[in-house]
Coordinates of all heavy atoms in Angstrom, one line a residue:
M1 N 75.4 137.0 74.4 CA 75.1 135.8 73.7 C 73.7 135.9 73.0 O 72.8 136.3 73.7 CB 75.0 134.7 74.8 CG 74.8 133.3 74.3 SD 74.9 132.0 75.5 CE 76.6 132.1 76.0
P2 N 73.7 135.7 71.7 CA 72.4 135.8 71.0 C 71.3 134.8 71.5 O 71.7 133.7 71.9 CB 72.8 135.6 69.6 CG 74.0 134.8 69.6 CD 74.7 135.2 70.9
K3 N 70.1 135.2 71.4 CA 69.0 134.4 71.8 C 68.2 134.0 70.6 O 68.1 134.7 69.6 CB 68.1 135.1 72.8 CG 68.8 135.5 74.1 CD 67.9 136.0 75.1 CE 68.6 136.4 76.4 NZ 69.6 135.5 76.9
V4 N 67.6 132.8 70.7 CA 66.6 132.3 69.7 C 65.3 132.0 70.4 O 65.3 131.5 71.4 CB 67.1 131.0 69.0 CG1 66.2 130.5 67.9 CG2 68.5 131.1 68.5
V5 N 64.2 132.5 69.7 CA 62.9 132.3 70.3 C 62.2 131.2 69.4 O 62.0 131.4 68.2 CB 62.0 133.6 70.2 CG1 60.7 133.3 70.8 CG2 62.7 134.7 71.0
F6 N 62.0 130.1 70.1 CA 61.3 128.9 69.4 C 59.8 129.0 69.8 O 59.5 129.1 71.0 CB 61.8 127.6 69.9 CG 63.3 127.4 69.4 CD1 64.3 127.8 70.2 CD2 63.5 126.7 68.2 CE1 65.6 127.6 69.9 CE2 64.8 126.5 67.8 CZ 65.9 126.9 68.6
I7 N 58.9 129.0 68.8 CA 57.5 129.1 69.0 C 56.9 127.8 68.6 O 57.0 127.4 67.4 CB 56.8 130.3 68.3 CG1 57.5 131.6 68.8 CG2 55.3 130.3 68.6 CD1 57.0 132.8 68.1
A8 N 56.3 127.1 69.5 CA 55.6 125.8 69.2 C 54.3 126.0 68.6 O 53.7 127.2 68.6 CB 55.4 125.0 70.5
L9 N 53.7 125.0 68.0 CA 52.4 125.1 67.3 C 51.3 125.6 68.2 O 50.4 126.4 67.8 CB 52.0 123.7 66.8 CG 51.0 123.6 65.7 CD1 51.4 124.4 64.5 CD2 50.7 122.2 65.3
D10 N 51.4 125.3 69.5 CA 50.4 125.8 70.4 C 50.6 127.2 70.9 O 49.9 127.7 71.8 CB 50.2 124.9 71.6 CG 51.5 124.7 72.4 OD1 52.5 125.4 72.2 OD2 51.5 123.9 73.4
G11 N 51.7 127.9 70.4 CA 52.0 129.2 70.8 C 53.0 129.4 71.9 O 53.4 130.5 72.2
V12 N 53.3 128.3 72.6 CA 54.3 128.4 73.7 C 55.6 128.8 73.2 O 56.1 128.2 72.2 CB 54.4 127.0 74.4 CG1 55.5 127.0 75.5 CG2 53.0 126.7 75.1
Q13 N 56.2 129.8 73.8 CA 57.6 130.3 73.4 C 58.6 129.8 74.3 O 58.4 129.7 75.5 CB 57.6 131.8 73.4 CG 56.7 132.4 72.4 CD 56.8 133.9 72.3 OE1 57.7 134.5 72.8 NE2 55.8 134.6 71.7
R14 N 59.8 129.5 73.8 CA 60.9 129.1 74.6 C 62.1 129.9 74.1 O 62.5 129.8 72.9 CB 61.1 127.6 74.4 CG 62.1 127.0 75.3 CD 61.9 125.5 75.4 NE 62.8 125.0 76.5 CZ 62.8 123.8 76.8 NH1 62.0 122.9 76.2 NH2 63.6 123.4 77.8
V15 N 62.7 130.6 74.9 CA 63.9 131.4 74.6 C 65.2 130.7 75.0 O 65.3 130.3 76.1 CB 63.8 132.8 75.3 CG1 65.0 133.7 74.9 CG2 62.5 133.5 74.9
V16 N 66.1 130.6 74.1 CA 67.3 129.8 74.3 C 68.5 130.7 74.0 O 68.5 131.4 73.0 CB 67.3 128.6 73.3 CG1 68.6 127.9 73.3 CG2 66.2 127.6 73.7
D17 N 69.5 130.6 74.8 CA 70.8 131.2 74.5 C 71.6 130.4 73.5 O 71.6 129.2 73.6 CB 71.7 131.3 75.8 CG 71.1 132.4 76.7 OD1 70.6 133.4 76.3 OD2 71.3 132.2 78.0
A18 N 72.1 131.0 72.5 CA 72.9 130.3 71.5 C 74.3 130.9 71.5 O 74.5 132.1 71.5 CB 72.3 130.5 70.1
H19 N 75.3 130.1 71.4 CA 76.7 130.6 71.3 C 76.9 131.0 69.9 O 76.5 130.4 69.0 CB 77.6 129.4 71.7 CG 77.4 128.8 73.0 ND1 77.7 129.5 74.2 CD2 76.9 127.6 73.4 CE1 77.4 128.7 75.2 NE2 76.9 127.5 74.7
P20 N 77.6 132.2 69.8 CA 78.0 132.6 68.4 C 78.7 131.5 67.7 O 79.6 130.8 68.2 CB 78.9 133.8 68.7 CG 78.5 134.3 70.0 CD 78.1 133.1 70.8
G21 N 78.3 131.2 66.5 CA 78.9 130.1 65.7 C 78.2 128.8 65.8 O 78.5 127.9 65.0
E22 N 77.3 128.7 66.8 CA 76.5 127.5 67.0 C 75.3 127.5 66.1 O 74.7 128.6 65.8 CB 76.1 127.5 68.4 CG 75.3 126.3 68.8 CD 74.9 126.3 70.3 OE1 74.6 127.4 70.9 OE2 74.9 125.2 70.9
S23 N 74.9 126.3 65.6 CA 73.7 126.3 64.8 C 72.4 126.4 65.6 O 72.5 126.1 66.8 CB 73.6 125.0 64.0 OG 73.3 123.9 64.8
V24 N 71.4 126.9 65.0 CA 70.1 127.0 65.7 C 69.7 125.6 66.2 O 69.2 125.5 67.4 CB 69.0 127.6 64.8 CG1 67.6 127.6 65.4 CG2 69.4 129.1 64.5
M25 N 69.9 124.6 65.4 CA 69.6 123.2 65.9 C 70.4 122.8 67.1 O 69.8 122.2 68.0 CB 69.8 122.2 64.7 CG 69.5 120.8 65.1 SD 70.6 119.5 64.5 CE 72.1 119.9 65.5
A26 N 71.7 123.0 67.1 CA 72.5 122.6 68.2 C 72.0 123.3 69.5 O 72.0 122.7 70.6 CB 74.0 122.9 67.9
A27 N 71.7 124.6 69.4 CA 71.2 125.4 70.6 C 69.9 124.8 71.1 O 69.7 124.6 72.3 CB 71.0 126.8 70.2
A28 N 69.0 124.4 70.1 CA 67.7 123.8 70.5 C 67.9 122.4 71.2 O 67.3 122.2 72.2 CB 66.8 123.6 69.3
V29 N 68.7 121.6 70.6 CA 69.0 120.2 71.2 C 69.6 120.3 72.5 O 69.2 119.7 73.5 CB 69.8 119.4 70.2 CG1 70.2 118.1 70.8 CG2 69.0 119.1 68.9
R30 N 70.6 121.2 72.6 CA 71.3 121.4 73.9 C 70.4 121.9 75.0 O 70.5 121.5 76.2 CB 72.5 122.4 73.7 CG 73.2 122.7 75.0 CD 74.4 123.7 74.7 NE 74.1 124.8 73.9 CZ 73.5 125.9 74.3 NH1 73.0 126.0 75.5 NH2 73.3 126.9 73.4
S31 N 69.4 122.6 74.6 CA 68.4 123.2 75.6 C 67.2 122.4 75.7 O 66.2 122.8 76.4 CB 68.1 124.6 75.1 OG 69.3 125.4 75.1
G32 N 67.1 121.3 75.0 CA 65.9 120.4 75.1 C 64.6 121.0 74.6 O 63.5 120.7 75.1
V33 N 64.7 121.7 73.5 CA 63.5 122.3 72.9 C 62.7 121.2 72.2 O 63.2 120.5 71.3 CB 63.9 123.4 71.8 CG1 62.6 123.9 71.1 CG2 64.6 124.5 72.5
P34 N 61.4 121.0 72.7 CA 60.6 119.9 72.1 C 60.3 120.2 70.6 O 60.1 121.4 70.2 CB 59.3 120.0 72.9 CG 59.6 120.8 74.1 CD 60.8 121.7 73.7
G35 N 60.4 119.2 69.8 CA 60.1 119.3 68.3 C 61.3 119.5 67.4 O 61.1 119.4 66.2
I36 N 62.4 119.7 68.0 CA 63.7 119.8 67.2 C 64.5 118.6 67.6 O 65.0 118.5 68.7 CB 64.5 121.1 67.5 CG1 63.6 122.4 67.3 CG2 65.8 121.1 66.7 CD1 63.3 122.6 65.8
V37 N 64.6 117.7 66.6 CA 65.2 116.4 66.9 C 66.7 116.4 66.5 O 67.6 116.0 67.3 CB 64.5 115.2 66.2 CG1 65.1 113.9 66.4 CG2 63.0 115.2 66.6
G38 N 67.0 116.8 65.3 CA 68.4 116.8 64.8 C 69.0 115.4 64.7 O 70.1 115.2 65.2
E39 N 68.3 114.5 64.2 CA 68.7 113.1 64.1 C 70.1 112.9 63.4 O 70.8 112.0 63.9 CB 67.7 112.3 63.3 CG 67.0 111.2 64.1 CD 65.9 110.5 63.3 OE1 66.1 110.2 62.1 OE2 64.8 110.4 63.9
C40 N 70.4 113.7 62.4 CA 71.6 113.5 61.7 C 72.8 114.3 62.3 O 73.9 114.2 61.8 CB 71.4 113.9 60.2 SG 71.3 115.6 59.9
G41 N 72.5 114.9 63.4 CA 73.6 115.7 64.1 C 74.0 117.0 63.4 O 75.1 117.5 63.7
G42 N 73.2 117.5 62.5 CA 73.5 118.7 61.8 C 74.2 118.6 60.5 O 74.8 119.5 60.0
N43 N 74.0 117.4 59.9 CA 74.7 117.2 58.6 C 73.8 117.4 57.4 O 74.2 117.0 56.3 CB 75.2 115.7 58.6 CG 76.3 115.5 59.5 OD1 77.3 116.3 59.5 ND2 76.2 114.5 60.4
C44 N 72.7 118.1 57.6 CA 71.8 118.5 56.5 C 71.4 117.3 55.7 O 71.4 117.2 54.5 CB 72.5 119.5 55.5 SG 71.5 120.3 54.3
S45 N 70.9 116.2 56.4 CA 70.5 115.0 55.7 C 69.2 114.4 56.2 O 68.8 113.4 55.7 CB 71.6 114.0 55.7 OG 71.9 113.6 57.0
C46 N 68.5 115.0 57.2 CA 67.4 114.2 57.7 C 66.1 115.1 57.8 O 65.0 114.5 57.9 CB 67.7 113.6 59.1 SG 67.8 114.8 60.4
A47 N 66.2 116.4 57.9 CA 65.0 117.3 58.0 C 64.3 117.2 59.3 O 63.1 117.6 59.4 CB 64.1 117.1 56.8
T48 N 64.9 116.6 60.4 CA 64.2 116.6 61.7 C 64.5 117.8 62.5 O 64.2 117.8 63.7 CB 64.6 115.3 62.5 OG1 66.0 115.3 62.7 CG2 64.2 114.0 61.7
C49 N 65.0 118.8 61.9 CA 65.2 120.1 62.5 C 64.6 121.2 61.7 O 64.9 122.4 61.8 CB 66.7 120.4 62.8 SG 67.7 120.7 61.2
H50 N 63.6 120.8 60.9 CA 62.8 121.8 60.1 C 62.2 122.8 60.9 O 61.6 122.5 61.9 CB 61.8 120.9 59.3 CG 60.9 121.7 58.4 ND1 59.7 121.3 58.0 CD2 61.1 122.9 57.8 CE1 59.1 122.1 57.2 NE2 60.0 123.2 57.0
I51 N 62.3 124.1 60.5 CA 61.7 125.2 61.2 C 61.1 126.2 60.1 O 61.5 126.1 59.0 CB 62.6 125.9 62.2 CG1 64.0 126.3 61.5 CG2 62.8 125.2 63.4 CD1 64.2 127.7 61.2
Y52 N 60.3 127.1 60.6 CA 59.8 128.2 59.8 C 60.4 129.5 60.4 O 60.2 129.8 61.5 CB 58.3 128.3 59.7 CG 57.6 127.0 59.3 CD1 56.7 126.4 60.1 CD2 57.9 126.4 58.1 CE1 56.0 125.3 59.7 CE2 57.2 125.3 57.7 CZ 56.3 124.7 58.5 OH 55.6 123.6 58.1
V53 N 61.2 130.2 59.6 CA 61.8 131.4 60.1 C 60.7 132.5 60.0 O 60.0 132.6 59.0 CB 63.0 131.8 59.2 CG1 63.6 133.2 59.6 CG2 64.1 130.8 59.2
D54 N 60.6 133.2 61.1 CA 59.6 134.3 61.2 C 59.9 135.3 60.1 O 61.1 135.6 59.8 CB 59.7 135.0 62.6 CG 58.5 135.8 62.8 OD1 57.5 135.3 63.3 OD2 58.6 137.1 62.7
E55 N 58.9 135.9 59.5 CA 59.0 136.8 58.4 C 59.9 138.0 58.7 O 60.7 138.4 57.9 CB 57.6 137.4 58.1 CG 57.5 138.2 56.9 CD 56.1 138.7 56.6 OE1 55.2 137.8 56.4 OE2 55.9 139.9 56.6
E56 N 59.9 138.4 59.9 CA 60.8 139.6 60.4 C 62.3 139.3 60.2 O 63.1 140.2 60.0 CB 60.5 139.8 61.9 CG 61.3 140.9 62.5 CD 61.0 141.0 64.0 OE1 60.0 140.5 64.5 OE2 61.8 141.6 64.7
F57 N 62.7 138.0 60.3 CA 64.1 137.6 60.2 C 64.5 137.0 58.9 O 65.7 136.7 58.6 CB 64.4 136.7 61.3 CG 64.5 137.4 62.7 CD1 63.3 137.5 63.5 CD2 65.6 138.0 63.1 CE1 63.4 138.1 64.7 CE2 65.7 138.6 64.3 CZ 64.5 138.7 65.1
A58 N 63.5 136.7 58.0 CA 63.8 136.0 56.8 C 64.9 136.6 55.9 O 65.8 135.9 55.4 CB 62.5 135.8 55.9
V59 N 64.9 137.9 55.8 CA 65.9 138.6 55.0 C 67.3 138.5 55.6 O 68.3 138.4 54.8 CB 65.5 140.1 54.7 CG1 65.6 140.9 56.0 CG2 66.4 140.7 53.6
Y60 N 67.4 138.4 56.9 CA 68.7 138.3 57.6 C 69.3 136.9 57.5 O 70.5 136.7 57.5 CB 68.6 138.8 59.0 CG 68.1 140.2 59.1 CD1 66.8 140.4 59.6 CD2 68.8 141.2 58.7 CE1 66.3 141.7 59.7 CE2 68.4 142.5 58.7 CZ 67.1 142.8 59.2 OH 66.6 144.1 59.3
V61 N 68.4 135.9 57.6 CA 68.8 134.5 57.6 C 69.1 134.0 56.1 O 70.0 133.2 55.9 CB 67.7 133.6 58.2 CG1 68.0 132.1 58.1 CG2 67.6 134.0 59.7
G62 N 68.3 134.5 55.2 CA 68.4 134.1 53.8 C 67.7 132.8 53.5 O 67.1 132.2 54.4
G63 N 67.9 132.3 52.3 CA 67.2 131.1 51.9 C 68.1 129.9 51.9 O 69.3 130.0 52.1
P64 N 67.6 128.7 51.7 CA 68.4 127.5 51.7 C 69.3 127.4 50.5 O 68.9 127.8 49.4 CB 67.3 126.4 51.7 CG 66.1 127.0 51.2 CD 66.2 128.5 51.5
E65 N 70.4 126.7 50.7 CA 71.3 126.4 49.6 C 70.7 125.1 48.9 O 69.8 124.5 49.4 CB 72.7 126.2 50.1 CG 73.2 127.3 50.9 CD 74.5 128.0 50.2 OE1 75.1 127.3 49.4 OE2 74.8 129.1 50.6
E66 N 71.3 124.7 47.8 CA 70.8 123.6 47.0 C 70.6 122.3 47.8 O 69.6 121.7 47.7 CB 71.7 123.4 45.8 CG 71.1 122.4 44.8 CD 72.0 122.2 43.6 OE1 72.8 123.1 43.3 OE2 71.8 121.2 42.9
M67 N 71.6 121.9 48.5 CA 71.5 120.7 49.3 C 70.4 120.7 50.3 O 69.6 119.8 50.4 CB 72.9 120.3 50.0 CG 72.9 119.0 50.6 SD 74.6 118.7 51.2 CE 74.3 117.4 52.4
E68 N 70.3 121.8 51.0 CA 69.3 122.0 52.0 C 67.9 122.0 51.3 O 66.9 121.4 51.8 CB 69.5 123.3 52.8 CG 68.4 123.6 53.8 CD 68.7 124.9 54.5 OE1 69.7 125.6 54.3 OE2 67.8 125.3 55.4
E69 N 67.8 122.6 50.2 CA 66.6 122.7 49.4 C 66.1 121.3 49.1 O 64.9 120.9 49.3 CB 66.8 123.5 48.1 CG 65.6 123.7 47.3 CD 64.8 124.9 47.8 OE1 65.3 126.0 48.1 OE2 63.6 124.7 47.9
D70 N 67.1 120.4 48.7 CA 66.7 119.0 48.3 C 66.2 118.3 49.5 O 65.3 117.5 49.4 CB 67.9 118.3 47.7 CG 68.3 118.8 46.3 OD1 67.5 119.5 45.7 OD2 69.5 118.6 45.9
V71 N 66.9 118.4 50.7 CA 66.5 117.7 51.9 C 65.1 118.2 52.3 O 64.3 117.3 52.7 CB 67.5 117.9 53.0 CG1 67.0 117.3 54.3 CG2 68.9 117.3 52.6
L72 N 64.8 119.4 52.3 CA 63.5 120.0 52.6 C 62.5 119.4 51.7 O 61.4 119.0 52.1 CB 63.5 121.5 52.6 CG 64.1 122.2 53.8 CD1 64.4 123.7 53.4 CD2 63.3 122.1 55.0
E73 N 62.8 119.4 50.4 CA 61.8 118.9 49.4 C 61.5 117.4 49.6 O 60.3 117.0 49.5 CB 62.4 119.1 48.0 CG 61.4 118.9 46.9 CD 60.2 119.8 46.9 OE1 60.4 121.0 47.2 OE2 59.1 119.4 46.6
L74 N 62.5 116.6 49.9 CA 62.3 115.2 49.9 C 62.0 114.6 51.3 O 61.4 113.6 51.5 CB 63.5 114.5 49.3 CG 63.8 114.8 47.9 CD1 65.2 114.2 47.5 CD2 62.7 114.3 47.0
G75 N 62.6 115.3 52.4 CA 62.5 114.7 53.7 C 61.6 115.4 54.7 O 61.4 114.8 55.8
A76 N 61.2 116.6 54.5 CA 60.4 117.3 55.5 C 59.0 116.6 55.6 O 58.3 116.5 54.7 CB 60.2 118.7 55.2
A77 N 58.7 116.3 56.9 CA 57.4 115.6 57.2 C 56.3 116.7 57.2 O 55.1 116.4 56.8 CB 57.4 114.9 58.5
A78 N 56.6 117.9 57.6 CA 55.6 118.9 57.8 C 55.5 119.7 56.4 O 56.4 119.6 55.6 CB 55.9 119.9 58.9
E79 N 54.4 120.5 56.3 CA 54.2 121.3 55.2 C 55.5 122.2 54.9 O 56.0 122.8 55.8 CB 53.0 122.2 55.4 CG 52.8 123.3 54.4 CD 51.8 124.4 54.8 OE1 51.3 124.3 55.9 OE2 51.6 125.2 54.0
R80 N 55.9 122.2 53.6 CA 57.0 123.1 53.2 C 56.4 124.5 52.9 O 55.4 124.6 52.2 CB 57.6 122.5 52.0 CG 58.7 123.3 51.3 CD 60.0 123.0 51.9 NE 61.0 123.9 51.4 CZ 61.6 123.9 50.3 NH1 61.4 123.0 49.4 NH2 62.5 124.8 50.0
R81 N 57.1 125.5 53.4 CA 56.7 126.9 53.2 C 57.9 127.7 52.7 O 59.0 127.2 52.7 CB 56.3 127.5 54.5 CG 55.1 126.9 55.1 CD 54.7 127.6 56.4 NE 53.6 126.8 57.1 CZ 53.2 127.1 58.3 NH1 53.8 128.0 59.0 NH2 52.2 126.4 58.9
E82 N 57.6 128.9 52.2 CA 58.7 129.7 51.7 C 59.7 130.0 52.8 O 60.9 130.1 52.5 CB 58.1 131.0 51.2 CG 59.1 131.9 50.4 CD 58.4 133.1 49.8 OE1 57.3 133.0 49.2 OE2 59.0 134.2 49.8
S83 N 59.3 130.1 54.0 CA 60.2 130.4 55.1 C 60.8 129.1 55.7 O 61.5 129.2 56.7 CB 59.4 131.1 56.2 OG 58.4 130.3 56.8
S84 N 60.6 127.9 55.1 CA 61.2 126.7 55.6 C 62.7 126.7 55.6 O 63.3 127.1 54.5 CB 60.7 125.5 54.9 OG 59.4 125.2 55.2
R85 N 63.3 126.3 56.6 CA 64.8 126.1 56.7 C 65.1 124.9 57.6 O 64.2 124.5 58.4 CB 65.5 127.3 57.3 CG 65.5 128.6 56.5 CD 66.3 128.5 55.2 NE 67.6 128.0 55.4 CZ 68.7 128.8 55.6 NH1 68.6 130.1 55.7 NH2 69.9 128.2 55.7
L86 N 66.3 124.4 57.4 CA 66.8 123.4 58.4 C 67.6 124.2 59.4 O 68.5 124.9 59.0 CB 67.7 122.3 57.7 CG 67.0 121.5 56.6 CD1 68.0 120.5 56.0 CD2 65.8 120.7 57.2
S87 N 67.2 124.0 60.7 CA 67.9 124.8 61.7 C 69.3 124.5 61.9 O 70.1 125.3 62.4 CB 67.1 124.7 63.0 OG 67.0 123.4 63.5
C88 N 69.8 123.3 61.4 CA 71.2 123.0 61.4 C 72.0 123.8 60.4 O 73.2 123.9 60.5 CB 71.4 121.5 61.2 SG 71.0 120.9 59.5
Q89 N 71.3 124.5 59.5 CA 72.0 125.2 58.5 C 72.0 126.7 58.8 O 72.5 127.5 57.9 CB 71.4 125.0 57.1 CG 71.5 123.5 56.7 CD 73.0 123.0 56.7 OE1 73.8 123.6 55.9 NE2 73.3 122.1 57.5
I90 N 71.5 127.1 59.9 CA 71.5 128.5 60.3 C 72.5 128.7 61.5 O 72.3 128.1 62.5 CB 70.1 129.0 60.7 CG1 69.1 128.8 59.6 CG2 70.2 130.5 61.2 CD1 67.7 129.1 60.0
T91 N 73.5 129.5 61.2 CA 74.6 129.7 62.2 C 74.2 131.0 63.0 O 74.0 132.0 62.3 CB 76.0 129.8 61.6 OG1 76.2 128.6 60.8 CG2 77.0 130.1 62.6
M92 N 74.2 130.9 64.3 CA 73.9 132.1 65.1 C 75.1 133.0 65.1 O 76.2 132.6 65.3 CB 73.5 131.7 66.5 CG 72.1 131.1 66.6 SD 70.8 132.2 65.9 CE 70.9 133.6 67.1
I93 N 74.8 134.3 64.9 CA 75.7 135.4 65.1 C 75.0 136.5 65.9 O 73.8 136.5 66.0 CB 76.2 135.9 63.7 CG1 75.0 136.3 62.8 CG2 77.1 134.9 63.0 CD1 75.3 136.9 61.5
E94 N 75.8 137.4 66.5 CA 75.2 138.4 67.3 C 74.1 139.2 66.6 O 73.1 139.6 67.3 CB 76.3 139.4 67.8 CG 77.3 138.8 68.8 CD 76.7 138.4 70.1 OE1 75.6 139.0 70.5 OE2 77.3 137.6 70.8
S95 N 74.2 139.5 65.3 CA 73.2 140.3 64.7 C 71.9 139.5 64.5 O 70.8 140.1 64.2 CB 73.7 140.7 63.3 OG 74.0 139.6 62.5
L96 N 71.8 138.2 64.8 CA 70.6 137.5 64.7 C 69.9 137.3 66.1 O 69.0 136.6 66.3 CB 70.8 136.1 64.2 CG 71.1 136.0 62.7 CD1 71.3 134.5 62.2 CD2 69.9 136.6 61.9
D97 N 70.5 138.1 67.1 CA 69.9 138.0 68.4 C 68.4 138.3 68.4 O 67.9 139.3 67.8 CB 70.6 139.1 69.3 CG 70.1 139.1 70.8 OD1 69.8 138.0 71.3 OD2 70.0 140.1 71.4
G98 N 67.6 137.4 69.0 CA 66.2 137.5 69.0 C 65.5 136.8 67.9 O 64.3 136.9 67.7
L99 N 66.3 136.1 67.1 CA 65.7 135.3 66.0 C 64.5 134.5 66.4 O 64.5 133.8 67.4 CB 66.8 134.3 65.4 CG 66.3 133.3 64.4 CD1 66.0 134.1 63.1 CD2 67.4 132.3 64.1
I100 N 63.4 134.6 65.7 CA 62.2 133.9 66.0 C 62.0 132.9 64.9 O 62.0 133.1 63.7 CB 61.0 134.9 66.0 CG1 61.2 136.0 67.0 CG2 59.7 134.1 66.2 CD1 60.2 137.1 66.9
V101 N 61.8 131.6 65.4 CA 61.5 130.5 64.5 C 60.3 129.8 65.0 O 60.0 129.7 66.2 CB 62.7 129.6 64.3 CG1 63.9 130.3 63.7 CG2 63.1 128.9 65.6
H102 N 59.5 129.2 64.1 CA 58.3 128.4 64.5 C 58.6 127.0 64.2 O 59.1 126.6 63.2 CB 57.1 128.9 63.6 CG 56.8 130.4 63.8 ND1 55.9 130.8 64.7 CD2 57.4 131.5 63.3 CE1 55.9 132.2 64.7 NE2 56.8 132.6 63.8
I103 N 58.2 126.1 65.1 CA 58.4 124.7 65.0 C 57.2 124.0 64.3 O 56.0 124.3 64.8 CB 58.6 124.0 66.4 CG1 59.8 124.7 67.1 CG2 58.8 122.5 66.3 CD1 60.0 124.3 68.5
P104 N 57.4 123.3 63.3 CA 56.2 122.6 62.6 C 55.5 121.6 63.5 O 56.1 121.2 64.5 CB 56.9 121.9 61.4 CG 58.3 122.5 61.3 CD 58.6 123.0 62.6
E105 N 54.4 121.2 63.0 CA 53.6 120.2 63.7 C 54.3 118.9 63.9 O 54.2 118.2 64.9 CB 52.3 119.9 62.9 CG 51.3 119.0 63.6 CD 50.0 118.9 62.9 OE1 49.8 119.6 61.9 OE2 49.2 118.1 63.3
E106 N 55.1 118.5 62.9 CA 55.8 117.2 63.0 C 57.2 117.3 62.3 O 57.4 118.2 61.5 CB 55.0 116.0 62.4 CG 54.6 116.3 60.9 CD 53.7 115.2 60.4 OE1 53.8 114.1 60.8 OE2 52.9 115.6 59.5
Q107 N 58.1 116.4 62.7 CA 59.4 116.4 62.0 C 59.6 115.1 61.2 O 59.3 114.0 61.5 CB 60.5 116.4 63.1 CG 60.6 117.8 63.8 CD 61.1 118.9 62.8 OE1 61.4 118.8 61.7 NE2 61.1 120.1 63.4

């Protein structure tokens, strides 16, 4: 089972098991990760699951598609960065085991 490492603003790390095919957001919500809300339930419409993908994994995760890009641009409460993604749009697969993501200051 692949793992996701969530790093909070204060540096606290939380490692979560993610089921293959599950979104990073769903794994976070299921595991009670603070700072990942997922208000829209993973429908790419609220930006309350905004994360920053660690540089080490950016090439494997890829960039946002057009709809996700729009939601990040208009709805993200925290600073938008090149590594910004909506965690509901990242599907966990075995090759992403150990994925590191940083949680923004606010959602």
Side-chain angles (χ1 to χ4, degrees):
M1 185 173 296
K3 298 190 181 316
V4 182
V5 180
F6 293 89
I7 302 177
L9 198 58
D10 61 5
V12 172
Q13 295 185 17
R14 190 159 187 179
V15 180
V16 169
D17 287 325
H19 304 289
E22 180 178 40
S23 73
V24 171
M25 182 221 65
V29 170
R30 177 177 47 75
S31 301
V33 174
I36 303 293
V37 181
E39 242 173 47
C40 72
N43 291 309
C44 192
S45 63
C46 72
T48 61
C49 67
H50 179 202
I51 47 106
Y52 305 122
V53 175
D54 195 81
E55 186 178 303
E56 174 185 347
F57 288 90
V59 68
Y60 303 110
V61 171
E65 304 242 343
E66 187 176 342
M67 185 173 164
E68 180 182 358
E69 187 79 48
D70 290 345
V71 173
L72 282 166
E73 189 66 37
L74 300 172
E79 171 192 5
R80 173 91 191 279
R81 298 181 185 167
E82 190 173 318
S83 64
S84 287
R85 290 293 309 269
L86 297 179
S87 59
C88 67
Q89 298 302 298
I90 301 172
T91 302
M92 284 304 295
I93 53 177
E94 290 293 339
S95 62
L96 288 178
D97 184 35
L99 173 66
I100 300 169
V101 299
H102 301 266
I103 302 171
E105 183 176 355
E106 58 185 328
Q107 290 292 359

